Amino acid sequence: MRDVAVVAFAQTVHTGHDTGLAEPELLLPVIDEVKRATGLKRFGFTVSGSCDYLAGAPFSFVSALDAVGAWPPISESHVEMDGAFALYEAWVRLQHGDIDTALVYGFGKSSMSDIREIMTLQLDPYYLAPLGLDQVSYAALQAAAVNADRAALDEIVRRSRTDGRANPYALDLPDPSGDEFEVEPLRPYDVAPVTDGAAAVVLAAGDRARELAGRPAWITGIAHRAEPHYLGMRDLSRSVSAADAGRAAGVGKGPVDVAELHTQFSHEEPILREALGLPGDVTVNPSGGPLAANPVMATGLIRVGEAARRILDGSAGRTVAHATSGPCLQQNLVAVLEGAGFEGAVLETSA
């Protein structure tokens, strides 16, 4: 198994409204930034994560390649999912041994559409979609199952927004207030905000990673798991797939300094803390997390990037990144990242 590391990460200054930029225009600055950081002009493999429905056009990811440059021809792939799952594909591709670098990026403009309607389209068209419930409604069912303390949820949102205001890339959101419900028991501020943005990560293997970064963020464990799509077959108060992915990635094999969790709703943080076995002293989402900026299709990749950034700059020694997809934490990807001194990767992976 080859050792693979994150050697560069960049993201846009996210916005809660349409600035008039097309997806390639969003992407070009972050692609240029990771190229400058690594000195690379071409990569052994390129893979992206996005959603055509957000752009309202088929194969929108093809036009996004204008930001990368596809001539001379490149080896390229795409997943119709968050960029974190594209990163998993890139990690697998690097295991083949014939290439040493990979570019991963994700992007999305939620401001151009009704994200609640769009995400409903991913649901099973026979049993779930006809119910007329959207992702927020399903999340509210899960929040009710968790029965989390209201004050605890408010504190999660307050902390996330405070951290987000200190993050130059996140949205400038006020502290939570108001008694109205979005979908009971969720209040509007329990739901991740509409956000436009993009992010890019460069992966490198072995000695190439050491050449490209002074302190590479080594991926010492990575795995993802999925549960049944049908909510009636799951215990919504916990996340079995996140727990399984966390164990496979080795979260519990050492202390965790920082965890970046893909929490699109406030009640998901206590579920994921329990599933991943994170003690109360672990710092969660110091970037503000998705509750401070949620560029759909890049949010999970940003969790990996933010977790890696703290390894790269030396502020943390061991971090955890998490990404999710599907209703009520159906699919979960977990990665463990470590700085200098790790003794080689011990990995259990899952397709």
Side-chain angles (χ1 to χ4, degrees):
M1 198 73 75
R2 300 182 84 194
D3 296 331
V4 173
V6 175
V7 295
F9 165 59
Q11 61 182 311
T12 56
V13 175
H14 309 307
T15 64
H17 60 278
D18 177 26
T19 60
L21 296 178
E23 284 87 353
E25 294 173 305
L26 270 179
L27 279 168
L28 185 58
V30 298
I31 301 296
D32 285 346
E33 185 175 341
V34 295
K35 285 183 176 180
R36 286 194 301 270
T38 59
L40 296 173
K41 295 183 178 179
R42 291 177 61 82
F43 305 88
F45 183 59
T46 297
V47 58
S48 61
S50 67
C51 175
D52 284 353
Y53 285 99
L54 288 176
F59 299 99
S60 64
F61 70 92
V62 176
S63 63
L65 283 170
D66 288 343
V68 179
W71 186 265
I74 63 174
S75 174
E76 185 269 339
S77 183
H78 173 262
V79 299
E80 193 79 4
M81 294 181 75
D82 189 283
F85 295 88
L87 181 138
Y88 186 91
E89 180 179 345
W91 180 88
V92 172
R93 180 65 183 85
L94 283 164
Q95 296 305 317
H96 292 193
D98 59 324
I99 61 170
D100 294 324
T101 61
L103 171 66
V104 184
Y105 61 91
F107 60 94
K109 293 184 63 176
S110 303
S111 67
M112 300 291 287
S113 56
D114 184 341
I115 190 64
R116 291 173 65 169
E117 180 179 354
I118 284 177
M119 298 310 288
T120 301
L121 297 176
Q122 74 176 328
L123 299 174
D124 171 80
Y126 300 104
Y127 295 102
L128 291 185
L131 296 177
L133 301 180
D134 59 24
Q135 66 171 164
V136 178
S137 300
Y138 285 123
L141 290 175
Q142 187 174 46
V146 173
N147 194 27
D149 178 66
R150 181 70 255 170
L153 297 183
D154 287 348
E155 175 56 25
I156 289 171
V157 178
R158 186 205 63 76
R159 187 199 74 229
S160 298
R161 291 189 169 191
T162 298
D163 290 342
R165 290 194 293 272
N167 178 354
Y169 302 99
L171 304 183
D172 184 5
L173 300 173
D175 285 339
S177 63
D179 296 327
E180 70 276 13
F181 290 105
E182 185 74 18
V183 180
E184 193 171 0
L186 295 178
R187 302 196 187 280
Y189 53 77
D190 290 313
V191 182
V194 169
T195 312
D196 290 358
V201 163
V202 175
L203 298 182
D207 290 339
R208 192 72 173 116
R210 297 179 182 91
E211 294 171 2
L212 295 175
R215 193 172 191 267
W218 298 101
I219 301 174
T220 58
I222 187 168
H224 65 88
R225 299 288 190 270
E227 295 176 65
H229 193 67
Y230 306 105
L231 305 185
M233 299 178 68
R234 291 194 264 149
D235 178 358
L236 295 183
S237 67
R238 60 197 188 102
S239 179
V240 174
S241 57
D244 287 347
R247 281 191 294 270
V251 173
K253 293 180 179 179
V256 176
D257 299 319
V258 170
E260 283 283 344
L261 307 180
H262 193 169
T263 51
Q264 298 176 87
F265 304 93
S266 60
H267 71 274
E268 292 177 342
E269 182 173 315
I271 294 176
L272 291 170
R273 271 188 177 271
E274 179 180 359
L276 298 177
L278 299 176
D281 60 351
V282 173
T283 301
V284 171
N285 289 345
S287 64
L291 292 176
N294 184 42
V296 174
M297 299 297 153
T299 307
L301 182 62
I302 291 170
R303 308 281 66 77
V304 178
E306 288 284 0
R309 181 176 63 82
R310 296 180 181 276
I311 302 291
L312 292 164
D313 66 16
S315 62
R318 190 170 189 267
T319 62
V320 168
H322 162 267
T324 190
S325 182
C328 297
L329 299 172
Q330 181 210 359
Q331 303 179 49
N332 293 277
L333 180 149
V334 178
V336 176
L337 300 100
E338 298 186 38
F342 84 100
E343 298 179 355
V346 178
L347 298 145
E348 178 184 346
T349 63
S350 170

